[in-house]
């Protein structure tokens, strides 16, 4: 199993940007599909974005409709790090953001992911 540590959260004004990072340790990142979820106060944890499958040279990603065109997931296997670039942030993006990983093919379902980080807080103010 892998360990995941998120960073990069913080307070930003609406319209601003943040980049979250997730460092994966214990196994090579290249062996895993990785995604981001978020949980706002009083709400269920929801899918944000993920690398769902890699079949070289094709890499498949998926995004929640609410973040398409604003958020971008990327990875640097050499650094064992996954990123979530968040642009045009809105107050409704405020949440704790979690990184998750699984060695198998994944979808938007939380149950597809075996390993989780502790989360990083993102707060977007008006």
């Amino acid at each position: 199993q892998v360990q995941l540590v998120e960073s990069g959260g913080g307070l930003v004004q609406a319209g601003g940007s943040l980049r979250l990072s997730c460092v994966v340790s214990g196994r090579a990142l290249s062996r895993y599909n990785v995604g981001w979820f978020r949980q706002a106060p009083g709400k269920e944890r929801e899918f944000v974005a993920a690398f769902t499958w890699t079949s070289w040279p094709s890499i498949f990603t998926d995004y929640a409709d609410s973040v398409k065109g604003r958020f971008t997931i990327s990875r640097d296997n050499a650094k064992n790090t996954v990123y979530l670039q968040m642009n045009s942030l809105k107050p409704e993006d405020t949440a704790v953001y979690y990184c998750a990983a699984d060695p198998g093919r994944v979808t938007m379902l939380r149950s597809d992911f075996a390993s989780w980080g502790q989360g990083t807080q993102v707060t977007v103010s008006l």
Side-chain angles (χ1 to χ4, degrees):
Q1 204 166 12
V2 294
Q3 292 76 48
L4 309 170
V5 179
E6 305 94 334
S7 63
L11 175 64
V12 64
Q13 286 189 325
S17 299
L18 280 175
R19 188 177 78 159
L20 305 183
S21 299
C22 173
V23 176
V24 178
S25 61
R27 297 279 178 88
L29 175 61
S30 59
R31 296 177 175 267
Y32 287 82
N33 288 301
V34 187
W36 290 93
F37 288 73
R38 66 186 182 186
Q39 188 166 17
K43 294 188 176 181
E44 294 286 319
R45 191 172 299 187
E46 64 175 7
F47 173 80
V48 176
F51 290 98
T52 55
W53 184 243
T54 299
S55 181
W56 189 259
S58 300
I59 300 175
F60 299 90
T61 58
D62 205 355
Y63 292 89
D65 288 342
S66 59
V67 306
K68 280 181 182 176
R70 301 188 298 124
F71 291 12
T72 303
I73 189 171
S74 62
R75 64 196 293 164
D76 186 337
N77 287 344
K79 295 183 178 180
N80 263 21
T81 302
V82 178
Y83 304 98
L84 184 68
Q85 178 66 44
M86 306 186 295
N87 299 328
S88 302
L89 283 162
K90 305 174 181 180
E92 51 263 43
D93 294 318
T94 295
V96 177
Y97 283 71
Y98 297 89
C99 180
D102 197 89
R105 191 168 187 168
V106 298
T107 67
M108 297 182 179
L109 298 176
R110 287 179 292 171
S111 58
D112 285 350
F113 294 83
S115 301
W116 292 81
Q118 294 300 306
T120 185
Q121 176 71 46
V122 171
T123 304
V124 184
S125 63
L126 288 169

